[in-house]
Amino acid sequence: MTDQENIRWLRDRLQASLAVEATDPAELLDWLEARRRDVLFSAELIPLREVADWHQADNGNIYNATGQFFRIEGVRVRSAPGVREIAGWDQPIFTQSEGGVLALLSRETPSRGVEFLLQAKADPGNVGYLQFCPTIQSTWENIRGLKGARRAAFAEYLDASENIRVIYRSKHNAEGSRFWRKSNENMILFVKDAGGLAIDEEAFRWASLSQIKQMILLDNVVGPYVRTVIAPL
């Protein structure tokens, strides 16, 4: 099947799901708030010169000692009149050898309809630290388990199989004002038999599309990547 055919199929399942799916996100919000209180995670701004394991090269570029993650380099921009507000500028920009994956696992049950598996992910710049993110929000290095990184949960479900239906898979440019030519691969994956999923209930929760829509209207609850991944639906 093509992506369009799979998307139409899932839209039909979502339409049928409206009769039984949960619409009130109160339980999810209570769970997230409890996790925010309990999570062992903190962050504070410190001077750049104090950041451990990051170095400045002779040309001024900033890089990690392991060679992983991103680099900070400079970019010089020149723009024709009317394309941008000014004719040109210089700025720092993040560079990375490859992007990552943003994937939502979905399932359907008779009692709850179609649901999507959200991850409560902690990032230092988040308000409240934890926000609902896609099931998989990871660099390819972590997905492959390279250079000692812990392999991302559910990475084994990224390919089509007898149990996995790939609804769509497409690359999207990350924010071009901050990242140099970086793309993330957006995916929705339907798990035909989700009974075998080993889910850490301290980090993941199932949510209906109606609940996700309600939570998107709230401040600092749903991360931006969930919105981009579900947009085709």
Side-chain angles (χ1 to χ4, degrees), residues 68-69 138-146 149-152 155:
Q68 298 182 75
F69 313 114
S138 180
T139 64
W140 277 109
E141 284 184 338
N142 283 354
I143 289 167
R144 298 181 187 125
L146 298 179
R150 185 178 64 181
R151 193 170 189 231

Side-chain angles (χ1 to χ4, degrees), residues 3 24 33-35 42 52 66 69 74 93 98 105 109 112 121 148 181 189 204 206 210:
D3 284 356
D24 186 349
E33 186 57 35
R35 293 292 297 124
S42 65
T66 64
F69 313 114
I93 198 164
E98 58 183 352
L105 293 187
T109 62
R112 298 184 63 85
K121 185 175 177 64
R181 299 178 180 176
L189 306 157
F204 295 90
W206 291 102
S210 294

Side-chain angles (χ1 to χ4, degrees), residues 31 117-120 132 134-136 153-154 198-206:
W31 178 86
L117 189 59
L118 301 179
Q119 174 186 184
F132 282 121
T135 319
I136 303 171
F154 305 110
I199 297 173
D200 178 1
E201 296 191 355
E202 293 295 304
F204 295 90
R205 303 296 281 187
W206 291 102

Side-chain angles (χ1 to χ4, degrees), residues 142-228:
N142 283 354
I143 289 167
R144 298 181 187 125
L146 298 179
K147 299 179 182 177
R150 185 178 64 181
R151 193 170 189 231
F154 305 110
E156 65 273 21
Y157 292 92
L158 288 174
D159 295 314
S161 67
E162 290 185 0
N163 194 37
I164 300 296
R165 183 172 186 165
V166 178
I167 302 301
Y168 85 93
R169 184 173 193 154
S170 60
K171 290 185 178 180
H172 293 264
N173 201 178
E175 186 184 359
S177 62
R178 300 290 180 266
F179 296 93
W180 176 257
R181 299 178 180 176
K182 177 186 177 184
S183 293
N184 289 315
E185 196 159 6
N186 289 10
M187 304 177 66
I188 292 180
L189 306 157
F190 185 84
V191 185
K192 298 173 186 176
D193 180 5
L197 291 179
I199 297 173
D200 178 1
E201 296 191 355
E202 293 295 304
F204 295 90
R205 303 296 281 187
W206 291 102
S208 71
L209 186 58
S210 294
Q211 289 174 313
I212 292 172
K213 288 179 177 179
Q214 289 296 318
M215 293 192 295
I216 286 173
L217 299 175
L218 304 175
D219 294 341
N220 306 314
V221 170
V222 178
Y225 295 128
V226 172
R227 300 193 288 272
T228 64

